Amino acid sequence: VTDDPRQAAAAHALRMKEASLRGFFDTAAVGVVQVNAEGRFARVNDRYCKLTGYSREELLTMGPLDLTYPDDREEDLERLMKALADPTGVYHSEKRYVRKDGTPVWVHVAANFLRDDAGRPVETAAIVMDIHERKRAEAALHQADRRKDDFLATLAHELRNPLGPLQHAVELLRTQDVEDREWCRAVIERQVGQLTRLIDDLLDVSRITRDKLVLDRTSIDLAEVLTDAAEACRPVLESHEQTLNVCAAGEPLHVKGDAVRLTQVFTNLLTNAAKFNVQPGTIELRAAIEGEYVVASVADRGIGIAADDLQRIF
């Protein structure tokens, strides 16, 4: 206690500044911490406790590296040592913490080092922000971009399938055989319809990013779908010296489905069978009614699909 008014005023101003800083530290909307020279928390605010799930008492027995996700520790330690070695260095990091309940959370840490006269770090002050939602949104955008690339790659492959029958039909139109002309007209009509549907898929950007296809379910005869698929695959079957045997029930195979999508499915199955079957070879395409279902199968003598790839492909 002093009777000097100036000293009393200075002491009061210092107390007010400390109270203001303490109020900011404790009530900040982001995590604020102080770390001592031993790498242990010297002070943490309420927001940091909420972010990590630990109480203040628990955190004061720990250090930042205790919270860092195991897979991120080595890289984070290298980043920290580099910042400590630079007298003017600051530490910035986006990394994962492991909360008390074991769940990971992405954080951004910005820290400054307080140094003594010899330049040795004696304390660290850091602001820690929860960026988990931002990271999750970035991951979702990345996944949507990957889906778009996968979708477009698949669609580019699909767009090739109708071109073979169309080219074959054009070649036949050069002849004067009326029966062949009618067959060509039917082929062109079907394959142009297929191309139109595929181009609609390409133009629907929102559907691409959601990795969704619209199904037009109607009553169809699966036998006609199999015929269209076999027709679309004729060029690739011939180029790979494959004989296709189609064994379908004599009666109509009525199902509720999307004729265009099912044609794509069987075209891809037959195309892959032709490419990977022994050459020359035979491919069996079978379809029959079994109870309430129509069961269809494609059989060849190729190497098959690795078990690990089945779930990803289908």
Side-chain angles (χ1 to χ4, degrees), residues 36-54:
N36 60 28
E38 287 73 41
R40 296 292 175 183
F41 290 116
R43 191 175 180 186
V44 298
N45 71 346
D46 291 341
R47 178 59 185 162
Y48 193 77
C49 295
K50 184 177 181 181
L51 173 63
T52 63
Y54 287 96

Side-chain angles (χ1 to χ4, degrees), residues 279-300:
Q279 296 184 25
T282 300
I283 300 170
E284 300 285 345
L285 175 58
R286 297 178 177 273
I289 298 174
E290 294 186 13
E292 297 180 354
Y293 300 93
V294 172
V295 178
S297 64
V298 176
D300 60 70

Side-chain angles (χ1 to χ4, degrees), residues 190-205:
R190 284 193 297 270
Q191 299 306 325
V192 167
Q194 185 88 340
L195 281 170
T196 301
R197 184 74 176 275
L198 291 170
I199 291 171
D200 285 343
D201 289 343
L202 182 60
L203 295 176
D204 191 342
V205 177

Side-chain angles (χ1 to χ4, degrees), residues 219-255:
S219 181
I220 60 174
D221 184 354
L222 189 64
E224 295 180 1
V225 169
L226 300 181
T227 299
D228 291 347
E231 174 187 283
C233 293
R234 181 182 295 181
V236 71
L237 290 167
E238 292 177 351
S239 66
H240 287 82
E241 301 181 71
Q242 299 296 322
T243 300
L244 177 63
N245 293 332
V246 181
C247 303
E251 56 188 318
L253 303 174
H254 291 301
V255 297

Side-chain angles (χ1 to χ4, degrees), residues 120-139:
R120 294 184 297 265
V122 295
E123 191 174 68
T124 304
I127 292 176
V128 184
M129 294 177 287
D130 183 346
I131 60 171
H132 197 74
E133 288 303 317
R134 194 200 83 196
K135 283 290 187 179
R136 188 160 62 179
E138 289 175 354

Side-chain angles (χ1 to χ4, degrees), residues 146-171:
R146 180 186 57 78
R147 284 177 172 175
K148 179 193 66 178
D149 291 342
D150 291 345
F151 190 100
L152 292 175
T154 300
L155 195 56
H157 173 74
E158 299 285 357
L159 285 168
R160 293 176 179 272
N161 289 331
L163 298 180
L166 285 171
Q167 181 64 39
H168 186 61
V170 168
E171 293 297 328

